Amino acid sequence: MDRRAASVGIDAEGRAVHEAMLYDKLADGEVRCRVCPNLCHIKPGKAGTCRARVNRDGVLVAVVYGRVCSVAADPIEKKPLFHFFPGTTVLSLGTLGCNFACRGCQNWQISQADAVTGVNDLRELPVGNLPVLAEHNGCLGVAWTYNEPTIWLEYVLDGAQVAHEHGLYTVMVTNGYITAEALDVIAPHIDAYRVDVKGFSERLYRDLCRVKDFHAVLAAAERAKSVHGCHVEIVTNVIPTKNDDDETLRAIATWVVEKLGAKTPWHVTRFIPYLELSHLPATPIKTLERAVDIGRQAGLEFVYVGNVPGHSGENTVCPSCHRLVVRRTGYEVEDVALRDGLCDMCGEDLNMRRRMKQPGVNGDNAARGLGR
Ligand SMILES: [Zn+2]
């Protein structure tokens, strides 16, 4: 089946208009979007919560399809992904809008911008150009990042298929707020699914992100791994007074161990004050080190300190023989004792993935980890 998003018309500037996937037409021209658990009911002329999916005369349109506001060749470690094609560069794309409204978003200039009014200032980047752009910039893959990729699902889907056709790996850096239906459309084409887990209660998600169903985030991460074989890494941005208590950190770590496995990397990253949370301090280093201890006590084998360049908590230490296997300094990566994804000294499996998924094969069978 050709799942590529259909072009349904031409706008006033002569550009293609892309009809969205996964929505229902209701009475009186209203539509219901099924891409994320917000399940927005959208009246004609209005946009969903993400401000990137707009009802035009009863047709839901993906207004940011193929229109990017950020394009860069980034180290894969910046996503952060530490156990997926380490040391490689990834073509990174973002646009306007988000299905969350986080009070402390670092990328608020784009995530909370209005795509409807801002779209004409965005650069057009057809999916057919991605392989050449990747090659010219020395990239081995394509990442949808900076803002929430779920809100331009159609572009990610088309782009990921083109990327795979050209031997490029694919990455989503996501808040995980996606319906199972939409995940089942996109995840077969995604190699690495990097999910933020911001807390472990509805109250916290309502407070921080203004969404109600945090279980959907957990379910998406679990499904991406168990059903679709994606390589999954989890990030928790540790925010003083919000999610830095032992109970919350332990709950997240325990969930990762139980549902995603002890070898799943968990990044506990330093919060930098922004927006409505600018009154809070940056996360103390000691708090991050406590989070690492909590993660290890819960049974996680790879817990990393993030946003603190030069901290020893960026390194990979073999969970079996406790020797240094990958040294990282900021985005500099050096193999110390990594061979075929295993510890060179004791043979421990380090869950380092260096190959893309095989079509129709789930993660446990997909080729795992070759060294650099
Ligand atoms: Zn070892």
Side-chain angles (χ1 to χ4, degrees), residues 4 65 125-133 155 158-159 162-163 166:
R4 294 189 186 189
Y65 183 98
L125 181 55
V127 291
N129 293 7
L130 296 179
V132 171
L133 202 55
Y155 183 66
D158 289 355
V162 168
H166 288 78

Side-chain angles (χ1 to χ4, degrees), residues 258-329:
E258 290 178 354
K259 299 298 185 179
L260 302 173
K263 292 189 183 296
T264 304
W266 184 37
H267 304 258
V268 287
T269 64
R270 189 178 205 197
F271 164 79
I272 308 295
Y274 281 99
L275 294 183
E276 290 176 40
L277 299 185
S278 57
H279 60 289
L280 296 176
T283 320
I285 307 298
K286 280 195 180 316
T287 301
L288 299 173
E289 291 170 344
R290 176 167 52 82
V292 169
D293 288 343
I294 289 170
R296 296 226 173 97
Q297 285 160 14
L300 286 173
E301 297 181 3
F302 306 107
V303 188
Y304 297 105
V305 169
N307 292 347
V308 188
H311 193 283
S312 63
E314 295 184 309
N315 297 328
T316 301
V317 173
C318 174
S320 177
C321 71
H322 306 293
R323 281 183 264 197
L324 179 68
V325 283
V326 180
R327 180 185 290 123
R328 300 182 185 83
T329 310

